[in-house]
Amino acid sequence: MFSSSARVLTSNATKATVRAFHASGKAEARKFFVGGNWKCNGSVQQVNDLVSMLNQSTLTTDTEVVVCPSQVYVQGVQEKLRGDVAVGAQDCWVQGNGAHTGETSADMLSDMGVGWVVIGHSERRGKGEANEEVAAKAKYALDKGLSIMACCGEPLEAREAGTTNDFVFPQLKAYADVFTKEDWAKVVVAYEPIWAIGTGLTATPEQAQETHAAIREYIGQIAGADVAENTRILYGGSASGATAPGLSAKPDIDGFLVGGASLKPEFADIVNC
């Protein structure tokens, strides 16, 4: 499986040089990161097939990889998946255990050995989660020892109106208001151009780079230049095996949060791009 990923054995060094891990000489290199968000997909059989596919694939060690199955499959994936691919959850509750029907606490995830959780995904924000609630979830998860993929992003109307930063920056500010400097070491930021998720549209590498650079600059203003330099910023706009190489070559794109393609063999091509 993942036959095209065999190319990685001879091209890793070149690609790593091109990426340069997207860091300047002032900071430790930012290791490339690819997260796979399986969303509300899967059956017992499909999840087993996905785990088998990943276990048999050739994945570069130059990329940190995390997959996030639906909560009901997290423990099974955690038990069966190869050790160099981490398992994360797609969301968690803003508080601990208790009378919160239907919720999953960060305490539970930590108890299972889950290391990562996606927070503030656009599909959660679309259900009414405000910036302050998202930030509180992120902080609670961090305090329980989890690392987080902190999402932000703008809808099509903001992109067309030229107000992307006006939409995204308050989302980032809400995170920064509750994070300590130490917290940021366990955070990757995932920029989601909402208009490019599941629509067949993809930001050009130049569009994505422009927004990633603006996000990094703004993080520097609200959290410090060292935090900005070290924080990995992922592109979360429906990247594919075809679009990932061009995007990953940009200096402020440190990886991807992948949706639909994480359920397909091309996920390995994205990891290895």
Side-chain angles (χ1 to χ4, degrees), residues 38-91:
W38 295 0
K39 303 193 179 185
C40 189
N41 289 297
S43 62
V44 171
Q45 185 61 56
Q46 185 184 11
V47 167
N48 285 338
D49 289 345
L50 285 168
V51 169
S52 176
M53 185 171 66
L54 286 167
N55 286 345
Q56 295 178 56
S57 68
T58 300
L59 301 177
T60 175
T61 58
D62 291 334
T63 300
E64 184 173 0
V65 184
V66 181
V67 295
C68 301
S70 174
Q71 250 77 321
V72 298
Y73 298 121
V74 165
Q75 187 168 14
V77 173
Q78 175 88 350
E79 292 171 349
K80 298 174 183 177
L81 189 62
R82 58 195 285 173
D84 59 342
V85 177
V87 177
Q90 297 176 16
D91 188 40

Side-chain angles (χ1 to χ4, degrees), residues 195-208:
W195 49 273
I197 299 176
T199 63
L201 301 173
T202 302
T204 66
E206 292 72 27
Q207 286 175 316

Side-chain angles (χ1 to χ4, degrees), residues 94-270:
V94 71
Q95 300 176 24
N97 297 343
H100 311 297
T101 302
E103 300 291 353
T104 302
S105 72
D107 309 67
M108 295 174 177
L109 298 174
S110 180
D111 181 58
M112 284 194 295
V114 172
W116 286 87
V117 60
V118 177
I119 298 291
H121 192 280
S122 60
E123 290 160 3
R124 301 297 308 175
R125 292 179 186 269
K127 294 179 180 293
E129 292 186 6
N131 292 344
E132 293 72 23
E133 179 183 0
V134 169
K137 283 185 176 188
K139 179 58 176 171
Y140 189 84
L142 287 165
D143 287 347
K144 291 302 174 179
L146 299 176
S147 297
I148 66 168
M149 291 173 249
C151 298
C152 61
E154 88 283 14
L156 181 60
E157 52 267 30
R159 167 62 63 171
E160 291 181 336
T163 58
T164 291
N165 293 349
D166 295 336
F167 198 93
V168 171
F169 286 2
Q171 298 172 342
L172 294 168
K173 183 64 163 56
Y175 290 127
D177 284 346
V178 298
F179 290 175
T180 65
K181 182 155 287 194
E182 292 73 26
D183 286 337
W184 281 99
K186 300 190 72 175
V187 174
V188 298
V189 171
Y191 164 61
E192 303 178 90
I194 300 169
W195 49 273
I197 299 176
T199 63
L201 301 173
T202 302
T204 66
E206 292 72 27
Q207 286 175 316
Q209 165 59 24
E210 180 182 25
T211 302
H212 279 233
I215 288 172
R216 194 175 307 284
E217 181 179 1
Y218 185 63
I219 291 174
Q221 294 171 14
I222 61 177
D226 54 339
V227 170
E229 187 68 28
N230 287 302
T231 298
R232 292 174 289 184
I233 305 175
L234 315 181
Y235 175 75
S238 294
S240 66
T243 61
L247 289 160
S248 68
K250 295 300 181 181
D252 289 296
I253 299 178
D254 303 310
F256 302 100
L257 179 58
V258 184
S262 68
L263 303 171
K264 302 174 183 177
E266 69 178 305
F267 184 65
D269 295 326
I270 298 172

